[in-house]
Amino acid sequence: MRSAHSLTIDPHDDQQIANQIAKALVMPQAERVDRASKIKEHLERNSLSSWTKLFSNTQKRIPAIIAPSRRSTQQFSCQAICTRK
């Protein structure tokens, strides 16, 4: 997760890893607590369950986007597009 509240690193950059560890070790406790609570809030809002619901709802809407209902003034169905000459 990339967040303004997390200390990010490139796992292939040893110097950056050392610098971020040093930064974390000297970080004031109040800042650590604040960062951790904001990351926790972010994770609660973007849980696996919420992502699953979002994806499921999107999948349900795809057929309606591809082929609108017959009540629509314009018909966009695969059959109409594929047989058009």
Side-chain angles (χ1 to χ4, degrees):
M1 172 183 75
R2 186 170 176 108
S3 166
H5 310 295
S6 60
L7 298 177
T8 58
I9 60 160
D10 174 355
H12 304 288
D13 185 340
D14 294 340
Q15 188 59 52
Q16 184 187 42
I17 293 170
N19 290 341
Q20 293 295 60
I21 290 172
K23 183 176 179 178
L25 290 172
V26 297
M27 187 181 294
Q29 182 177 2
E31 184 178 352
R32 289 194 319 262
V33 169
D34 182 55
R35 284 173 176 259
S37 68
K38 288 179 179 170
I39 291 170
K40 183 178 176 186
E41 289 170 13
H42 177 81
L43 290 172
E44 287 170 351
R45 282 192 314 273
N46 298 288
S47 68
L48 179 59
S49 175
S50 67
W51 280 95
T52 303
K53 287 177 187 173
L54 176 66
F55 181 73
S56 176
N57 290 339
T58 302
Q59 273 189 318
K60 290 174 187 172
R61 290 188 4 233
I62 288 174
I65 294 168
I66 294 172
S69 70
R70 294 187 185 272
R71 289 174 282 178
S72 172
T73 56
Q74 289 185 311
Q75 295 286 326
F76 295 104
S77 69
C78 183
Q79 184 178 10
I81 293 169
C82 295
T83 57
R84 188 179 298 163
K85 294 181 181 183

